[in-house]
Amino acid sequence: MLLAVRWRRVLVMIFLILLAAILTWIYWLYRPPYALYDYLTEKELQSARASDSMSNKSAKFVLFNQLQGAGFNNQVQEILIYHHLSLPFIWRPRFHQPLPLSAFLPGPTIDGVPVSFLEQICPQDDTVYIQIDALYDDLWRTSQKILARPEKCIIITNRIMHWNYLSSSALSQVWPSFQQYLGRYFAWSPQILDITRRTQKELRLRPHQSHYTQHDSSNQNQSGDSYMALHIRRGDFKSHCASLASSQTPFTTWASLSSLRDSRILSAITLQAQAHPHVRTLHILHDASIDHPNVYIDIMKLKAALTNPDWAARNGWGESGPMRRITESSMIPIKHGEYDFTVAVDMELARWADVFVGNGYSSLSSQVVAMKDGVGGWDPEGYYSDMIL
């Protein structure tokens, strides 16, 4: 009896030691790269101090009322649209933003000035505070007129890129100029691009050969499989998607472009698998976590169906058969301090996929749509047929 008690104590001790080791490893792996962020924050401040705009009396500045505390892509799409709207004005979305923007999106930070410099560069007698109120169809033009005012500093006091506007048909008028903006200014940071190339190599995901541009020459001649990218939403948004669909709420931002088709997940994958028999590798984009196990269950169901030869045959996948290989976000080979960048890496993987199946209510899917067309050098004849929402 005494021996059994001792063994139980030993087993409990071993369990606690293993648990402590696992928790320590998770903390170490997912700990943000604070040293990098501190370095980039200081570099941004130094660049701003050395910028001609600080001493240029004719320079103008605008500060927008920006979304805070939301998901990565909700903020990314707003940053890019505001930057596009404000050009050639000087702006940087630093209000209550704890991370250096150059760690993710270096384009909007070029020649920008942190909001901490506001008092130094904006004299009170040459600063105007404005609330923009306009009908959706006229919101963009009204905002442009306001930014053309003569004051040195313009501070917009209300949020204008709110959900209702982003899901309205009025935003389509912005797309042609925003498309050109992306081609000129959009770029991920070196950290994100390095992880993307590592992931493509280790997961054997070959970028679409027809998408190469002079800016993406490092992706040429890569080995691996042509692949389809699938974005599914997190478990806590499952009911949200259902309610949006039942109320016939329009898709968000660039997912509402009229040339895109919409469908259900399995039928969408089937349509693309039939149209692209050479694509039998799938990469699933998700942000599942231990507190949302439903996503893992959904992924297991998808894998079971999409790798089943009988299921593929019944659904007309042809002689190429079912998916032969499936990768997912949790397989991205991140190193210490790289976890913050995985969402952007997934987006870049989706941009380089032969086929993209997304969710029209998701800002991530919407941004992938914009990146594929605005940045990626796609064949204009086949671009829209290679995406479905």
mmCIF file of all heavy atoms in Angstrom, residues 320-343:
data_model
loop_
_atom_site.group_PDB
_atom_site.id
_atom_site.type_symbol
_atom_site.label_atom_id
_atom_site.label_comp_id
_atom_site.label_asym_id
_atom_site.label_seq_id
_atom_site.Cartn_x
_atom_site.Cartn_y
_atom_site.Cartn_z
ATOM 1 N N SER A 320 -8.233 12.708 -61.432
ATOM 2 C CA SER A 320 -7.178 13.191 -60.522
ATOM 3 C C SER A 320 -7.438 12.790 -59.082
ATOM 4 O O SER A 320 -6.530 12.846 -58.249
ATOM 5 C CB SER A 320 -7.059 14.717 -60.620
ATOM 6 O OG SER A 320 -6.662 15.103 -61.913
ATOM 7 N N GLY A 321 -8.675 12.414 -58.783
ATOM 8 C CA GLY A 321 -8.993 11.915 -57.456
ATOM 9 C C GLY A 321 -9.084 12.995 -56.408
ATOM 10 O O GLY A 321 -9.183 14.193 -56.713
ATOM 11 N N PRO A 322 -9.053 12.591 -55.121
ATOM 12 C CA PRO A 322 -9.228 13.532 -54.008
ATOM 13 C C PRO A 322 -7.950 14.326 -53.719
ATOM 14 O O PRO A 322 -6.939 14.168 -54.417
ATOM 15 C CB PRO A 322 -9.561 12.603 -52.840
ATOM 16 C CG PRO A 322 -8.766 11.369 -53.142
ATOM 17 C CD PRO A 322 -8.833 11.217 -54.642
ATOM 18 N N MET A 323 -8.006 15.161 -52.697
ATOM 19 C CA MET A 323 -6.806 15.850 -52.244
ATOM 20 C C MET A 323 -5.795 14.815 -51.735
ATOM 21 O O MET A 323 -6.137 13.922 -50.963
ATOM 22 C CB MET A 323 -7.140 16.836 -51.115
ATOM 23 C CG MET A 323 -7.906 18.070 -51.571
ATOM 24 S SD MET A 323 -6.892 19.109 -52.652
ATOM 25 C CE MET A 323 -8.116 20.325 -53.177
ATOM 26 N N ARG A 324 -4.578 14.953 -52.203
ATOM 27 C CA ARG A 324 -3.541 14.012 -51.776
ATOM 28 C C ARG A 324 -2.792 14.497 -50.536
ATOM 29 O O ARG A 324 -2.208 13.705 -49.805
ATOM 30 C CB ARG A 324 -2.560 13.784 -52.929
ATOM 31 C CG ARG A 324 -3.178 13.017 -54.085
ATOM 32 C CD ARG A 324 -2.156 12.654 -55.129
ATOM 33 N NE ARG A 324 -1.784 13.812 -55.947
ATOM 34 C CZ ARG A 324 -2.435 14.177 -57.056
ATOM 35 N NH1 ARG A 324 -3.484 13.480 -57.453
ATOM 36 N NH2 ARG A 324 -2.044 15.223 -57.753
ATOM 37 N N ARG A 325 -2.826 15.809 -50.331
ATOM 38 C CA ARG A 325 -2.075 16.349 -49.186
ATOM 39 C C ARG A 325 -2.754 17.609 -48.688
ATOM 40 O O ARG A 325 -3.203 18.438 -49.483
ATOM 41 C CB ARG A 325 -0.637 16.654 -49.618
ATOM 42 C CG ARG A 325 0.360 16.787 -48.492
ATOM 43 C CD ARG A 325 1.775 16.669 -49.020
ATOM 44 N NE ARG A 325 2.099 17.711 -49.970
ATOM 45 C CZ ARG A 325 2.582 18.920 -49.619
ATOM 46 N NH1 ARG A 325 2.776 19.214 -48.341
ATOM 47 N NH2 ARG A 325 2.881 19.814 -50.538
ATOM 48 N N ILE A 326 -2.875 17.751 -47.352
ATOM 49 C CA ILE A 326 -3.501 18.923 -46.747
ATOM 50 C C ILE A 326 -2.576 19.488 -45.679
ATOM 51 O O ILE A 326 -2.137 18.777 -44.773
ATOM 52 C CB ILE A 326 -4.874 18.581 -46.129
ATOM 53 C CG1 ILE A 326 -5.845 18.120 -47.222
ATOM 54 C CG2 ILE A 326 -5.451 19.791 -45.396
ATOM 55 C CD1 ILE A 326 -7.224 17.736 -46.708
ATOM 56 N N THR A 327 -2.266 20.774 -45.799
ATOM 57 C CA THR A 327 -1.499 21.475 -44.762
ATOM 58 C C THR A 327 -2.413 22.520 -44.128
ATOM 59 O O THR A 327 -3.490 22.802 -44.628
ATOM 60 C CB THR A 327 -0.253 22.156 -45.359
ATOM 61 O OG1 THR A 327 -0.665 23.138 -46.328
ATOM 62 C CG2 THR A 327 0.645 21.129 -46.055
ATOM 63 N N GLU A 328 -1.961 23.108 -43.034
ATOM 64 C CA GLU A 328 -2.792 24.097 -42.350
ATOM 65 C C GLU A 328 -1.923 25.073 -41.576
ATOM 66 O O GLU A 328 -0.703 24.892 -41.442
ATOM 67 C CB GLU A 328 -3.775 23.410 -41.414
ATOM 68 C CG GLU A 328 -3.100 22.535 -40.380
ATOM 69 C CD GLU A 328 -4.115 21.890 -39.438
ATOM 70 O OE1 GLU A 328 -4.549 22.607 -38.524
ATOM 71 O OE2 GLU A 328 -4.427 20.705 -39.609
ATOM 72 N N SER A 329 -2.556 26.103 -41.035
ATOM 73 C CA SER A 329 -1.842 27.196 -40.371
ATOM 74 C C SER A 329 -0.961 26.713 -39.220
ATOM 75 O O SER A 329 0.128 27.251 -39.001
ATOM 76 C CB SER A 329 -2.848 28.227 -39.847
ATOM 77 O OG SER A 329 -3.609 28.767 -40.892
ATOM 78 N N SER A 330 -1.431 25.717 -38.492
ATOM 79 C CA SER A 330 -0.664 25.242 -37.340
ATOM 80 C C SER A 330 0.644 24.576 -37.747
ATOM 81 O O SER A 330 1.502 24.331 -36.889
ATOM 82 C CB SER A 330 -1.502 24.264 -36.514
ATOM 83 O OG SER A 330 -1.871 23.136 -37.287
ATOM 84 N N MET A 331 0.823 24.302 -39.030
ATOM 85 C CA MET A 331 2.046 23.654 -39.512
ATOM 86 C C MET A 331 3.096 24.653 -39.984
ATOM 87 O O MET A 331 4.187 24.256 -40.403
ATOM 88 C CB MET A 331 1.694 22.690 -40.645
ATOM 89 C CG MET A 331 0.751 21.573 -40.230
ATOM 90 S SD MET A 331 0.096 20.617 -41.621
ATOM 91 C CE MET A 331 1.588 19.808 -42.212
ATOM 92 N N ILE A 332 2.782 25.949 -39.942
ATOM 93 C CA ILE A 332 3.769 26.964 -40.319
ATOM 94 C C ILE A 332 4.978 26.856 -39.388
ATOM 95 O O ILE A 332 4.834 26.910 -38.170
ATOM 96 C CB ILE A 332 3.169 28.375 -40.248
ATOM 97 C CG1 ILE A 332 2.079 28.536 -41.314
ATOM 98 C CG2 ILE A 332 4.243 29.448 -40.433
ATOM 99 C CD1 ILE A 332 1.364 29.870 -41.259
ATOM 100 N N PRO A 333 6.178 26.687 -39.928
ATOM 101 C CA PRO A 333 7.367 26.454 -39.090
ATOM 102 C C PRO A 333 7.901 27.745 -38.461
ATOM 103 O O PRO A 333 8.907 28.299 -38.900
ATOM 104 C CB PRO A 333 8.367 25.851 -40.080
ATOM 105 C CG PRO A 333 7.998 26.474 -41.389
ATOM 106 C CD PRO A 333 6.504 26.618 -41.375
ATOM 107 N N ILE A 334 7.213 28.219 -37.423
ATOM 108 C CA ILE A 334 7.637 29.457 -36.786
ATOM 109 C C ILE A 334 8.732 29.191 -35.770
ATOM 110 O O ILE A 334 8.829 28.105 -35.195
ATOM 111 C CB ILE A 334 6.455 30.188 -36.113
ATOM 112 C CG1 ILE A 334 5.797 29.294 -35.043
ATOM 113 C CG2 ILE A 334 5.452 30.628 -37.137
ATOM 114 C CD1 ILE A 334 4.754 29.998 -34.224
ATOM 115 N N LYS A 335 9.540 30.209 -35.554
ATOM 116 C CA LYS A 335 10.595 30.160 -34.549
ATOM 117 C C LYS A 335 10.236 31.088 -33.396
ATOM 118 O O LYS A 335 9.186 31.741 -33.406
ATOM 119 C CB LYS A 335 11.933 30.579 -35.179
ATOM 120 C CG LYS A 335 12.390 29.666 -36.311
ATOM 121 C CD LYS A 335 13.688 30.157 -36.919
ATOM 122 C CE LYS A 335 14.135 29.261 -38.066
ATOM 123 N NZ LYS A 335 15.395 29.750 -38.699
ATOM 124 N N HIS A 336 11.126 31.141 -32.425
ATOM 125 C CA HIS A 336 10.882 31.995 -31.257
ATOM 126 C C HIS A 336 10.611 33.434 -31.674
ATOM 127 O O HIS A 336 11.346 34.021 -32.460
ATOM 128 C CB HIS A 336 12.102 31.943 -30.332
ATOM 129 C CG HIS A 336 12.061 32.950 -29.221
ATOM 130 N ND1 HIS A 336 11.035 33.000 -28.322
ATOM 131 C CD2 HIS A 336 12.917 33.946 -28.878
ATOM 132 C CE1 HIS A 336 11.260 33.972 -27.461
ATOM 133 N NE2 HIS A 336 12.390 34.567 -27.782
ATOM 134 N N GLY A 337 9.505 33.991 -31.166
ATOM 135 C CA GLY A 337 9.186 35.395 -31.416
ATOM 136 C C GLY A 337 8.505 35.677 -32.735
ATOM 137 O O GLY A 337 8.327 36.837 -33.094
ATOM 138 N N GLU A 338 8.097 34.635 -33.492
ATOM 139 C CA GLU A 338 7.524 34.863 -34.816
ATOM 140 C C GLU A 338 6.008 34.681 -34.869
ATOM 141 O O GLU A 338 5.404 34.851 -35.928
ATOM 142 C CB GLU A 338 8.170 33.920 -35.833
ATOM 143 C CG GLU A 338 9.638 34.198 -36.089
ATOM 144 C CD GLU A 338 10.243 33.273 -37.122
ATOM 145 O OE1 GLU A 338 9.655 32.198 -37.394
ATOM 146 O OE2 GLU A 338 11.311 33.618 -37.668
ATOM 147 N N TYR A 339 5.382 34.355 -33.764
ATOM 148 C CA TYR A 339 3.959 34.024 -33.786
ATOM 149 C C TYR A 339 3.098 35.189 -34.290
ATOM 150 O O TYR A 339 2.109 34.984 -34.984
ATOM 151 C CB TYR A 339 3.496 33.596 -32.393
ATOM 152 C CG TYR A 339 2.038 33.229 -32.327
ATOM 153 C CD1 TYR A 339 1.588 32.028 -32.847
ATOM 154 C CD2 TYR A 339 1.099 34.095 -31.767
ATOM 155 C CE1 TYR A 339 0.249 31.692 -32.810
ATOM 156 C CE2 TYR A 339 -0.248 33.769 -31.721
ATOM 157 C CZ TYR A 339 -0.670 32.563 -32.246
ATOM 158 O OH TYR A 339 -1.997 32.232 -32.218
ATOM 159 N N ASP A 340 3.457 36.423 -33.957
ATOM 160 C CA ASP A 340 2.667 37.584 -34.376
ATOM 161 C C ASP A 340 2.529 37.696 -35.888
ATOM 162 O O ASP A 340 1.601 38.330 -36.392
ATOM 163 C CB ASP A 340 3.301 38.878 -33.847
ATOM 164 C CG ASP A 340 2.991 39.120 -32.380
ATOM 165 O OD1 ASP A 340 2.230 38.333 -31.799
ATOM 166 O OD2 ASP A 340 3.521 40.095 -31.820
ATOM 167 N N PHE A 341 3.454 37.070 -36.624
ATOM 168 C CA PHE A 341 3.488 37.247 -38.077
ATOM 169 C C PHE A 341 2.727 36.159 -38.841
ATOM 170 O O PHE A 341 2.614 36.230 -40.062
ATOM 171 C CB PHE A 341 4.938 37.263 -38.566
ATOM 172 C CG PHE A 341 5.790 38.305 -37.907
ATOM 173 C CD1 PHE A 341 6.898 37.951 -37.152
ATOM 174 C CD2 PHE A 341 5.486 39.648 -38.035
ATOM 175 C CE1 PHE A 341 7.683 38.913 -36.536
ATOM 176 C CE2 PHE A 341 6.263 40.623 -37.429
ATOM 177 C CZ PHE A 341 7.366 40.255 -36.674
ATOM 178 N N THR A 342 2.200 35.145 -38.136
ATOM 179 C CA THR A 342 1.641 33.995 -38.837
ATOM 180 C C THR A 342 0.395 34.337 -39.652
ATOM 181 O O THR A 342 0.153 33.731 -40.698
ATOM 182 C CB THR A 342 1.312 32.860 -37.851
ATOM 183 O OG1 THR A 342 0.464 33.365 -36.801
ATOM 184 C CG2 THR A 342 2.585 32.302 -37.233
ATOM 185 N N VAL A 343 -0.420 35.280 -39.186
ATOM 186 C CA VAL A 343 -1.616 35.663 -39.957
ATOM 187 C C VAL A 343 -1.202 36.221 -41.318
ATOM 188 O O VAL A 343 -1.765 35.861 -42.359
ATOM 189 C CB VAL A 343 -2.465 36.695 -39.197
ATOM 190 C CG1 VAL A 343 -3.627 37.154 -40.050
ATOM 191 C CG2 VAL A 343 -2.971 36.116 -37.884
#
